[in-house]
Structures are given as C-alpha cells and as structure tokens.
Amino acid sequence: MRIRMLLLALLVSLAAAACRNEAGPDEIKGNAIIDWVDFVMLDGRSYNGLYDGVIVNPEDITEQVAGKTKFKLSDVVSNPGYRTKDGDAAFLPIGTKLYRVKGFEADELIAARDEKRIGGYRLYAENEFYKTVQRHYEELPKDKTERIELYRIQEFEPYKTLLAADMDRFIQLLDTGKDTDNYTPPNREKDPDYYRMVFYTDEPIAHSFTIADDGTNVFFSPWTTRIVDPAVRTLLQP
C-alpha cells in the first residue's frame, strides 16, 4: 500500500511539473509554417539577434548569467497565436546561458556562446536598444574604420586583414559600385564564392556583411544589390 501511494505521489509531481513548464498542445500546434526571427525572451523583454554583430573583444562577455533559455520554438510551435514567455528562444537550445556584456546593461545586450559565429558569441539586443546598435552598410561610420577582416563562409578565423591604404581602397571600391535591382548571377550551374567582411571601428561591436564573386561580377547588398569594380578581387583574394 505504501509503495502504491509513493508511486501515485511521484506521478502527481511529474504531471504538475509538466503543467508548469510546458504550454498546452492547442497553444503550440496550429496549421501555419512560421518563419521565426532569431530572438529570446528574458525578464519580460524581447531581444533580437544581431545577425551581423561581432563582439570586438570576447573578454567583454562576462561570466554573469542574466538568464537561461527554457523552450525552443523553431520546429515545435506552429500556432501564429502563440504568446511568447520568459525563457522562450527561436533557435537557441534549451538551457543556453545568456551572459551579460561589459559596458552594457542586461536590459540592453546579452550574449550566448556559439562556436559557429565570428568572435565565438551570438549577440542579442533588446528591441528598442537594437535600433541603436544595428548597422546597415550605408550607416557604418566608415571614416572611423580601423581594419577590415575577411573570412571565407563557414570559417571563423580571418584569411586576410586590410589596413591603411588597402582598407581605404577596398571601401572606395565598395562605395562606388553600381546598384542593380534584381541581379541574378549568370552561371546558375555553380554557386558564387561567398565571403564575410567585418568592419572594426571604435565601437565595441563590429559589423559583418556578405560579399560574393560569381566569376563574372563581385557583388554585395548595402540596400539593393551592388556590383563592384572587378579590381576589388585583388584585395578580396588571399
């Protein structure tokens, strides 16, 4: 009798824990395919992933944990009416630690370790603060650029660093390219070669942009697609 009561108590505890930690199936399941943006919810605030943001000094990521993720939404939630909760994340695995960043408040910027990101961290900025740190190429303070690092796609160590005259020439070629709407690479049988260019200024966050070479043209997208003078290849190549 005592064993039966202990088993019953255990089952009740497990059920209660499940009710506390999991949303109901009607709340999660629906008929829509949701294209999630990278975000995390913490302390009632939503943080957007700074996809192009690179921490300049990884030592600025402290050991202070601002929170942890509790639920991963991608591939699970298909109900557009689902209401996000603290601990929800679009793509981060459950239990991911979110660290405070030196020089920023926890309600401004947090970071998660990610070996597949340049600098080793994925940055998240609170929705309103995001507007102050996100940069499009045309918004960069290029006159304050100190160096440009070039990376091959899927690699996390630079193969080349542009400084001084080479850096200035590279920026000049990017800025004077020809904007072209609806550009399509002419060779559809071969994918272009893609690179990442990371601009370091006097700010604690550097900004990364993709540039591609399809064999005919070198192009990137500051707003629309821009075709760059082929002379840029001499600087882009190792």
Side-chain angles (χ1 to χ4, degrees):
M1 180 69 174
R2 184 177 179 182
I3 294 175
R4 184 180 300 173
M5 293 298 294
L6 288 173
L7 288 173
L8 179 61
L10 178 60
L11 289 173
V12 170
S13 297
L14 290 173
C19 290
R20 286 194 301 269
N21 296 322
E22 296 183 8
D26 292 338
E27 187 179 358
I28 293 175
K29 297 299 180 183
N31 298 317
I33 298 176
I34 302 174
D35 188 14
W36 293 105
V37 297
D38 190 11
F39 81 96
V40 63
M41 285 286 295
L42 182 66
D43 295 333
R45 301 181 182 89
S46 180
Y47 295 75
N48 288 327
L50 280 171
Y51 177 74
D52 294 325
V54 174
I55 190 72
V56 172
N57 183 4
E59 293 183 1
D60 284 345
I61 310 297
T62 73
E63 292 298 320
Q64 300 175 45
V65 178
K68 295 181 181 180
T69 59
K70 301 176 183 177
F71 187 56
K72 180 181 176 182
L73 277 64
S74 62
D75 302 326
V76 176
V77 177
S78 57
N79 182 354
Y82 175 82
R83 294 185 178 182
T84 54
K85 305 174 180 65
D86 277 354
D88 282 358
F91 303 114
L92 293 177
I94 294 172
T96 299
K97 293 179 180 179
L98 302 166
Y99 296 95
R100 295 194 59 171
V101 182
K102 188 184 300 182
F104 298 91
E105 297 297 328
D107 59 1
E108 294 177 333
L109 191 73
I110 52 179
R113 287 196 176 98
D114 188 342
E115 295 179 355
K116 295 183 178 180
R117 291 294 177 97
I118 297 172
Y121 289 90
R122 189 183 300 197
L123 301 177
Y124 290 87
E126 188 274 334
N127 278 0
E128 290 302 314
F129 190 68
Y130 180 90
K131 301 172 185 176
T132 70
V133 291
Q134 175 68 4
R135 298 280 188 275
H136 295 287
Y137 175 78
E138 299 293 4
E139 299 169 333
L140 282 177
K142 292 192 282 291
D143 59 324
K144 297 181 179 179
T145 302
E146 299 171 352
R147 71 184 188 276
I148 300 172
E149 291 181 348
L150 300 176
Y151 296 76
R152 294 181 179 87
I153 292 298
Q154 306 301 328
E155 294 186 5
F156 311 105
E157 292 294 331
Y159 68 84
K160 193 172 188 179
T161 300
L162 302 178
L163 301 167
D166 284 343
M167 178 187 72
D168 293 340
R169 174 62 173 159
F170 189 76
I171 292 174
Q172 186 263 335
L173 289 169
L174 295 179
D175 287 349
T176 57
K178 180 182 178 181
D179 290 341
T180 307
D181 291 331
N182 303 318
Y183 175 74
T184 301
N187 185 359
R188 299 188 181 185
E189 296 180 359
K190 180 181 181 298
D191 290 336
D193 294 323
Y194 289 96
Y195 307 90
R196 301 292 287 180
M197 42 187 186
V198 182
F199 290 73
Y200 291 82
T201 65
D202 57 354
E203 298 176 345
I205 298 174
H207 295 278
S208 170
F209 306 94
T210 302
I211 189 168
D213 185 348
D214 62 19
T216 301
N217 291 304
V218 179
F219 58 96
F220 76 116
S221 298
W223 291 105
T224 186
T225 301
R226 179 176 295 172
I227 296 176
V228 184
D229 188 306
V232 78
R233 287 192 176 101
T234 61
L235 297 168
L236 190 60
Q237 297 300 322

